[in-house]
C-alpha cells in the first residue's frame, strides 16, 4: 500500500493541541523525578501543584 493512502485517513493534530491537552503532572513527581518534571513543564507550561512543591522545596 503506498504511503499516500495513509494521508487521507490520518487525522491531523497540531502540536499546540497536543500541548494544550497534556494532563497535569503527578503531584509526587517533584520529589521522585524533578528533572523530568522540569522538562515536561518546559514543553507544556502550566500551573500545577507539582510545580508549587518543586519551588517550595
Amino acid at each position: 500500500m503506498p504511503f499516500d493512502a495513509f494521508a487521507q485517513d490520518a487525522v491531523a493534530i497540531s502540536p499546540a493541541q497536543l500541548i494544550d491537552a497534556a494532563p497535569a503532572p503527578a503531584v509526587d513527581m517533584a520529589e521522585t523525578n524533578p528533572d523530568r518534571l522540569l522538562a515536561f513543564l518546559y514543553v507544556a507550561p502550566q500551573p500545577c501543584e507539582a510545580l508549587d512543591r518543586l519551588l517550595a522545596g
Side-chain angles (χ1 to χ4, degrees):
M1 180 182 298
F3 180 74
D4 294 339
F6 292 109
Q8 296 172 356
D9 298 334
V11 176
I13 299 175
S14 72
Q17 289 173 324
L18 290 173
I19 290 170
D20 290 341
V27 177
D28 65 342
M29 196 175 203
E31 290 87 19
T32 58
N33 201 346
D35 292 335
R36 186 172 181 179
L37 174 63
L38 288 174
F40 177 82
L41 292 174
Y42 180 78
V43 173
Q46 56 184 290
C48 60
E49 191 175 340
L51 178 61
D52 294 339
R53 282 194 184 184
L54 184 66
L55 294 176

